[in-house]
Amino acid sequence: MKTTTCLPVLLLCLLLAACGGGNNAPAGSNTGSSTNAPAEPAKNEPPKPDPAKDRQAVADTILKAYTSLDSSGVLALFKPEEHEKAKSRMVREIDDIKKKGGSVKVAESKIEEREGKFFLVATLDFDVAGEKSSKTREAQMIQHEGKWYLSFER
């Protein structure tokens, strides 16, 4: 074989070896699974529930009902079997304060965990018909079918 024929063949072989032997993958792409990048969550998966945020949302809703004197959303915070108690206690109290032109402010509120159970403990300042009072109220928070509720149960 002549040198003029061998030289182009040799250069072609060197060029193919330098480029990865004919692999058409772009330089720098890694098709292996050895990357250290964190796996992205699937875009179709719903976000995982955050029980602490869900409990806080329930607490915020009942406290807002008191401070805005709007009892319309109170029943949704209780399981159906406790609606009558919620009407006779909380709804009636909020509606009575509103009728008398009173106001309610939240002095303090927190969610406490005791023996695996959660409780909303709130101190409310009432100003009704010129009489001021402060009361600490406590309600258990229960989870039922993935949703958090207030409860009169102990």
Side-chain angles (χ1 to χ4, degrees), residues 6-137:
C6 287
L7 189 56
V9 173
L10 182 62
L11 285 173
L12 181 61
C13 289
L14 287 172
L15 185 60
L16 285 174
C19 292
N23 185 357
N24 289 332
S29 72
N30 186 356
T31 57
S33 61
S34 63
T35 63
N36 290 335
E40 291 184 29
K43 295 183 190 245
N44 294 337
E45 289 182 25
K48 292 184 180 180
D50 183 347
K53 283 184 181 180
D54 294 343
R55 286 189 299 271
Q56 188 62 52
V58 170
D60 292 344
T61 302
I62 190 64
L63 295 174
K64 184 176 181 192
Y66 268 92
T67 58
S68 66
L69 299 177
D70 180 8
S71 63
S72 63
V74 171
L75 294 182
L77 301 174
F78 292 87
K79 293 187 332 187
E81 54 267 21
E82 293 195 66
H83 282 187
E84 287 307 313
K85 281 185 182 178
K87 282 181 192 176
S88 68
R89 294 179 185 181
M90 292 181 164
V91 172
R92 187 180 73 201
E93 180 178 50
I94 292 169
D95 291 344
D96 286 348
I97 294 168
K98 186 174 183 175
K99 272 193 245 178
K100 294 176 182 177
S103 65
V104 180
K105 292 184 180 174
V106 178
E108 181 182 357
S109 75
K110 59 186 170 186
I111 296 174
E112 295 179 355
E113 182 178 3
R114 295 182 226 137
E115 299 177 4
K117 295 181 180 181
F118 293 93
F119 298 88
L120 169 62
V121 181
T123 301
L124 304 175
D125 293 334
F126 295 88
D127 185 353
V128 182
E131 290 185 32
K132 294 184 179 190
S133 64
S134 182
K135 298 176 185 173
T136 299
R137 301 283 173 83

